Amino acid sequence: MKNVLIIGGGIVGLSTAYFLNKEGFAVTVIDKGDITSGASFVNAGYITPSHIIPLASPGMISKGIKMMFNSASPFYMKPRLDADFLKWSWYFHKSSTPAKVEKAIPLIKDINLISRELFTDIKNSGDLGDFQLERKGLLMLYKTEASYLHEKQVAERVAFEGLEVSDLNKTELHQLEPNVNIDAEGAIHYECDGHTTPTEIMPKLMAYLKQQGVVIRTNEEVLDIKSSGSSIKEVVTNKGSYKPEEVVLAAGSWSGELAKKLQLKLPLQGGKGYRINIERDTGITIPAILMESKIAATPMNGFTRFAGTMEFSGLNDIIRKERVTAIANGAQAFYPDIKINDTEIKNVKTGLRPVSPDGLPYIGKSSNIINLTIATGHAMMGWSLGPATGKLVSELLTDNKTSMNIAAFSPNRTF
């Protein structure tokens, strides 16, 4: 029985532990936090086959430059003289071409569909007990014709890829969401999408893994990774050391820094997202993205979550009040009767999503280090792609045929 050390206890790390444990590996997960916060806990909970367009798409860099000096904007890049950030920005720019987006679309769709089925399989297995997993779709709510026409193009491509999507006018939207006042002209409804409550699944997944004998060590930070020749020999932490046969690097936004300890280049930036929870009835029953506000609204188990923004400002958990206010105002612009109060605003949380320069995740074995597998860089789809990534890593480590061709996700790719 091979022993595997997984660095990182987010949805990707724990999903990897889940599938490796099923294959009979002896698994240890270490995380520098206590696995109660971060991107896996503050995300919108979406399972989104419809999100086929990568973040690195034409026009995104010019949008970023325009928004660079407005720290309340939905897409914010803090100007800074940081070599890694400048390199990443250049790679992002090079990746934002129509041809590269076209290549990425079927890959993003396929891995999302694999993950959607795996979420269902995990629920049906009863391993985690009961948890929210609904397929009500995702509403793209719009106020302007420009937003509608932009999303209609995406919807046509989504339909071309064989996914279920429909176009709703104001009346049809009201019929679908009769218990909440929505100030929108209509919606594109991606019926193919689902949603969950991350704060419900994460503790249940952790409890199940412990029960199965997976060792989970929290508040343990990796200080060094020692290699000899082409393999990792020892992982040194602030609490001890490990001599694993296989290492999976799934440390989210911190994966790039850890890769440097092995002289590996893994271009990655942390994109900060914010969430506000409302623990009272809002009348919202279907997840929605408020297009002009660039905010996600999700009806979760026991609360409604408003989440959003992509902020590139380094690896920190600084909360920018102007960004929180923008989410509260953006939510009210679409749901005029929902007033987010001061207490709800004060309880805001953030998480850092690991963003690769081309919008595709890094999933694969390192070409330099034979016992290292990398699983990170999922940007805004980390939650959606967690189970699929875990399954793919388990297939790589058991030398089985992978569920899809993952050559494009190679961590050894150049930009």
Side-chain angles (χ1 to χ4, degrees):
M1 194 197 301
K2 255 190 180 178
N3 76 78
V4 182
L5 179 68
I6 299 171
I7 303 172
I11 185 62
V12 171
L14 294 190
S15 294
T16 301
Y18 178 85
F19 288 105
L20 286 175
N21 173 259
K22 296 268 185 198
E23 293 290 345
F25 286 81
V27 183
T28 299
V29 178
I30 55 173
D31 194 277
K32 68 183 186 60
D34 59 5
I35 316 185
T36 61
S37 61
S40 294
F41 287 82
V42 306
N43 63 81
Y46 292 164
I47 300 162
T48 50
S50 71
H51 278 32
I52 56 171
I53 309 294
L55 187 64
S57 55
M60 279 308 286
I61 278 286
S62 55
K63 271 184 201 169
I65 290 166
K66 279 179 200 157
M67 295 175 172
M68 198 174 259
F69 302 102
N70 175 11
S71 60
S73 65
F75 184 74
Y76 174 56
M77 290 181 168
K78 186 187 177 188
R80 61 193 195 278
L81 286 170
D82 171 273
D84 288 342
F85 176 65
L86 293 172
K87 256 186 225 164
W88 178 90
S89 300
W90 173 241
Y91 297 151
F92 187 97
H93 169 68
K94 281 172 69 182
S95 301
S96 301
T97 67
K100 287 186 176 173
V101 168
E102 200 54 40
K103 275 186 184 169
I105 285 171
L107 298 166
I108 295 172
K109 179 198 77 172
D110 289 349
I111 190 171
N112 263 292
L113 288 175
I114 290 167
S115 222
R116 189 180 72 177
E117 294 318 304
L118 288 171
F119 267 109
T120 304
D121 291 349
I122 292 167
K123 174 143 183 170
N124 292 343
S125 73
D127 289 344
L128 312 192
D130 193 28
F131 58 84
Q132 183 196 30
L133 177 63
E134 298 190 66
R135 180 93 60 88
K136 290 183 174 179
L138 175 66
L139 297 169
M140 300 294 289
L141 302 175
Y142 60 84
K143 288 175 177 287
T144 64
E145 191 181 7
S147 291
Y148 168 65
L149 293 174
H150 168 80
E151 197 57 39
K152 187 139 180 64
Q153 276 189 311
V154 177
E156 283 165 3
R157 187 54 201 268
V158 167
F160 176 78
E161 290 292 331
L163 299 169
E164 308 84 8
V165 57
S166 56
D167 200 331
L168 306 177
N169 61 30
K170 217 170 190 171
T171 306
E172 291 163 331
L173 175 61
H174 177 69
Q175 285 167 349
L176 211 57
E177 276 285 48
N179 301 319
V180 60
N181 178 18
I182 302 175
D183 185 356
E185 290 306 305
I188 301 284
H189 186 201
Y190 293 113
E191 296 154 49
C192 51
D193 291 0
H195 72 285
T196 58
T197 302
T199 49
E200 178 184 51
I201 291 175
M202 285 295 286
K204 289 189 174 202
L205 181 52
M206 197 150 59
Y208 168 78
L209 291 172
K210 285 178 177 174
Q211 187 192 323
Q212 295 304 304
V214 171
V215 176
I216 299 181
R217 302 200 187 280
T218 54
N219 300 306
E220 187 159 351
E221 190 169 0
V222 173
L223 302 178
D224 200 10
I225 305 174
K226 296 180 177 178
S227 61
S228 173
S230 59
S231 70
I232 292 168
K233 300 298 181 194
E234 187 180 13
V235 176
V236 181
T237 73
N238 59 339
K239 292 184 176 178
S241 77
Y242 301 83
K243 294 185 175 172
E245 290 168 270
E246 294 282 348
V247 175
V248 178
L249 180 56
S253 297
W254 287 267
S255 301
E257 292 302 307
L258 291 171
K260 284 179 185 175
K261 295 182 187 296
L262 293 162
Q263 281 73 55
L264 299 178
K265 285 179 185 164
L266 195 67
L268 206 59
Q269 286 293 311
K272 191 184 293 175
Y274 292 70
R275 73 94 179 113
I276 298 171
N277 287 349
I278 296 183
E279 294 177 9
R280 51 194 161 92
D281 185 31
T282 59
I284 297 170
T285 64
I286 301 172
I289 287 179
L290 322 180
M291 286 192 66
E292 287 82 3
S293 298
K294 305 275 191 294
I295 292 163
T298 315
M300 295 190 178
N301 244 354
F303 57 93
T304 300
R305 172 168 290 177
F306 291 98
T309 86
M310 183 61 88
E311 173 190 328
F312 295 104
S313 60
L315 298 177
N316 62 68
D317 56 4
I318 295 164
I319 290 172
R320 295 177 185 272
K321 285 182 183 168
E322 65 274 25
R323 300 185 74 68
V324 184
T325 304
I327 291 174
N329 293 342
Q332 204 177 326
F334 279 82
Y335 301 106
D337 298 344
I338 300 173
K339 310 269 192 289
I340 297 175
N341 63 44
D342 290 345
T343 306
E344 289 157 346
I345 286 173
K346 204 167 73 180
N347 290 331
V348 69
K349 292 277 191 296
T350 67
L352 287 163
R353 297 158 293 195
V355 185
S356 71
D358 59 2
L360 295 177
Y362 295 116
I363 307 169
K365 283 187 159 287
S366 165
S367 56
N368 301 54
I369 310 287
I370 56 170
N371 61 342
L372 174 66
T373 306
I374 293 169
T376 186
H378 297 77
M380 295 172 294
M381 287 185 286
W383 184 261
S384 189
L385 302 182
T389 303
K391 180 72 172 168
L392 289 164
V393 170
S394 77
E395 289 166 345
L396 287 170
L397 293 188
T398 49
D399 294 322
N400 283 324
K401 187 174 187 294
T402 51
S403 298
M404 65 177 286
N405 185 333
I406 58 170
F409 303 151
S410 169
N412 314 301
R413 66 187 185 266
T414 52
F415 297 97

